[in-house]
Amino acid sequence: MTNQIIARYDIADYAQFRAEFDADAEDRGNASLSVLQIWREGTGRVWVLYQVADGKRALDYLQGAAQVFNGRAGVQNAEYHAVQTA
């Protein structure tokens, strides 16, 4: 049972990433992902904590359809960690 996903995005440009990230909200919602928190690490990395309603659907989206978002947003690399509240 996945409660949350922590995502790390290595990006080229924060403004480009954020504009595309905001525009992708409906697709993320359809994949059962709700944004809980966003952090910036320096100029080239963003971390996002997602609440997850359906772990399989969320991971399928992040590892598949989200690649379109990644291309538009200038994501150079992304990593996802499914975690549970202890």
Side-chain angles (χ1 to χ4, degrees), residues 19-40:
E20 293 297 334
F21 186 83
D22 291 346
D24 196 54
E26 183 176 354
D27 287 345
R28 283 193 312 273
N30 290 336
S32 84
L33 294 163
S34 301
V35 176
L36 296 176
Q37 186 69 48
I38 300 173
W39 299 275
R40 287 176 68 176

Side-chain angles (χ1 to χ4, degrees), residues 13-65:
D13 177 70
Y14 179 75
Q16 175 187 1
F17 171 84
R18 190 56 192 248
E20 293 297 334
F21 186 83
D22 291 346
D24 196 54
E26 183 176 354
D27 287 345
R28 283 193 312 273
N30 290 336
S32 84
L33 294 163
S34 301
V35 176
L36 296 176
Q37 186 69 48
I38 300 173
W39 299 275
R40 287 176 68 176
E41 181 182 351
T43 60
R45 183 166 284 166
V46 175
W47 295 84
V48 179
L49 176 62
Y50 295 106
Q51 181 67 38
V52 178
D54 180 328
K56 180 178 178 349
R57 189 168 52 171
L59 287 172
D60 286 349
Y61 169 77
L62 291 171
Q63 296 170 349

